[in-house]
Amino acid sequence: MLKLMYITNKPEVALIAEKNGVQRIFVDMEYIGKSDRQGGMDTVQSFHTVDDVRKIKKCLTSASLMARCNPIHEKTDKYSSSKEEIDGVIDAGADIIMLPFFKTKDEVQKFISFVDGRAKTLLLIETPEAVENIDEILEVKGIDEVFVGLNDLSLGYGMKFMFELLADGTVERLCTKFVKKGLPYGFGGIAALGKGSLPAERVIAEHYRLGSTCAILSRSFCNTNIITDLNQVDEIFTKGLKEIRDWEVECENGNVDFIENKKQIRDAVVQILNSIG
């Protein structure tokens, strides 16, 4: 089964997600430079804090706590340095720390040294430069896991639709490299079954074909900025997670034709791009 991640800084929502089998609660502290590169896009910008890490950690009993820090940066009058930020996140109880929007081996080495074995490290590959430098990046010791961020990476390539990266083989080429290094990996976000511009069923089956181990539940799965009734949130997670897990069983049991699914993804992406114009 995929390790599912859900972004929230609300303890009551984190508990609902955890109860329904989400294995990682995701506190998203990244904001430096994010609005510039995603300007005008309908994307998630969370502005979570170290205090959010601390309060979510206190409420969890089984799920891991993952925190996305900012890209590697020096201290300014507006924010602390990467090392200070990472120290704070670890002190607050993060089990896994995700590094976003890096481009070079040097940035990754700094990140690994700042974490210094005190938490698991997860690299978020979301720049064309990181893809270009991936072989030397993966030589760095201390990387525990990798994840391909489809949204920012597709923006970096000037694409119109993030799942083009599945259709054109980019994700598969990266996954092949991760396998050779023995690293667990995942990519992208998934909506509820039957939903999403590319149906979630197709995306989940591609996770299984490519040997992925984790995925983020997308904002469209349950947007708690819009849906504020906790009973409704619980209903969405209960129904949605059961449907996802049931579909995963079909994938695991060989009841899904992965090659045909790959073709359907390519065809769907072409159709979506044609509709975009």
Side-chain angles (χ1 to χ4, degrees), residues 103-115:
K103 299 178 180 181
T104 67
K105 178 180 180 180
D106 181 63
E107 291 169 279
V108 172
Q109 288 177 319
K110 287 181 180 178
F111 170 65
I112 298 296
S113 68
F114 293 159
V115 175

Side-chain angles (χ1 to χ4, degrees), residues 74-234:
E74 300 297 331
K75 184 174 183 177
T76 73
D77 57 355
K78 293 182 179 179
Y79 38 76
S80 61
S81 69
S82 283
K83 185 179 188 310
E84 290 168 327
E85 180 181 73
I86 289 169
D87 285 343
V89 167
I90 292 171
D91 289 344
D95 302 299
I96 306 162
I97 303 179
M98 172 186 276
L99 175 68
F101 212 72
F102 61 90
K103 299 178 180 181
T104 67
K105 178 180 180 180
D106 181 63
E107 291 169 279
V108 172
Q109 288 177 319
K110 287 181 180 178
F111 170 65
I112 298 296
S113 68
F114 293 159
V115 175
D116 195 24
R118 295 174 293 168
K120 296 292 185 181
T121 59
L122 192 159
L123 301 185
L124 179 59
I125 298 168
E126 54 181 352
T127 67
E129 293 90 344
V131 174
E132 182 178 342
N133 297 323
I134 193 63
D135 290 328
E136 65 177 24
I137 286 170
L138 294 180
E139 293 296 331
V140 176
K141 304 298 182 184
I143 301 168
D144 292 306
E145 195 168 340
V146 284
F147 195 89
V148 183
L150 300 184
N151 187 66
D152 273 5
L153 186 55
S154 65
L155 290 176
Y157 282 125
M159 294 176 174
K160 296 180 180 180
F161 182 49
M162 66 179 182
F163 286 113
E164 286 184 70
L165 293 164
L166 286 184
D168 73 1
T170 298
V171 172
E172 184 164 3
R173 287 191 294 273
L174 287 169
C175 290
T176 300
K177 293 178 182 294
F178 305 152
V179 169
K180 289 180 180 178
K181 289 295 181 180
L183 291 169
Y185 54 91
F187 59 86
I190 54 175
L193 260 62
K195 297 183 179 179
S197 51
L198 183 66
E201 295 92 321
R202 304 279 74 80
V203 178
I204 292 168
E206 188 70 347
H207 275 271
Y208 274 79
R209 185 182 77 83
L210 295 176
S212 167
T213 59
C214 62
I216 298 172
L217 290 173
S218 67
R219 180 176 52 173
S220 65
F221 177 85
C222 184
N223 187 345
T224 57
N225 290 326
I226 296 173
I227 302 168
T228 57
D229 183 285
L230 291 179
N231 289 325
Q232 188 178 357
V233 171
D234 197 2

Side-chain angles (χ1 to χ4, degrees), residues 163 166-167 172 187 190 193 198-210 247 250-251 255-270:
F163 286 113
L166 286 184
E172 184 164 3
F187 59 86
I190 54 175
L193 260 62
L198 183 66
E201 295 92 321
R202 304 279 74 80
V203 178
I204 292 168
E206 188 70 347
H207 275 271
Y208 274 79
R209 185 182 77 83
L210 295 176
W247 178 246
E250 296 298 306
C251 292
N255 297 327
V256 178
D257 185 335
F258 293 142
I259 302 304
E260 175 61 24
N261 184 75
K262 179 181 177 181
K263 179 181 181 298
Q264 289 184 23
I265 287 175
R266 286 201 306 266
D267 292 345
V269 167
V270 169

